[in-house]
Amino acid sequence: MLFYFLTTILSVVGLSVSLQTGFFKDPIGTFLFTVLLAMGLSSFKQLVAQTNVLLIERRNQKKIKRIVARMHSSTRKRST
């Protein structure tokens, strides 16, 4: 997740530098601008997906802990 975060930050910085300096008007600048834009959007999408998976896993772990605690706190004895 750290990789996607750093890649997103790097692409945003690169895009802002490219826009401020006017580098995107040159042919190689246009290529780099396009690559930075694609990289930024892709890494942001992956960052959101990874965060969603992390939140779902955390929620499931809390449910499991609650169920296990409820099972252990039960004082009913089972007849055999």
Side-chain angles (χ1 to χ4, degrees):
M1 196 154 91
L2 181 64
F3 172 75
Y4 296 123
F5 179 72
L6 293 176
T7 307
T8 303
I9 297 299
L10 179 68
S11 63
V12 167
V13 169
L15 285 170
S16 65
V17 167
S18 177
L19 287 173
Q20 289 176 356
T21 60
F23 184 63
F24 67 96
K25 294 177 183 175
D26 297 332
I28 190 71
T30 304
F31 174 73
L32 287 176
F33 182 80
T34 306
V35 167
L36 285 171
L37 186 62
M39 183 176 73
L41 292 174
S42 175
S43 61
F44 183 71
K45 176 186 168 197
Q46 288 296 325
L47 181 65
V48 169
Q50 288 290 326
T51 304
N52 188 29
V53 167
L54 181 70
L55 292 175
I56 289 172
E57 286 179 1
R58 182 180 290 169
R59 185 179 62 207
N60 289 340
Q61 281 295 329
K62 286 182 180 180
K63 282 182 183 178
I64 291 171
K65 284 183 181 180
R66 223 177 311 133
I67 291 170
V68 169
R70 193 177 327 141
M71 288 172 55
H72 286 300
S73 69
S74 175
T75 57
R76 289 187 316 178
K77 295 190 176 187
R78 295 182 182 174
S79 60
T80 56

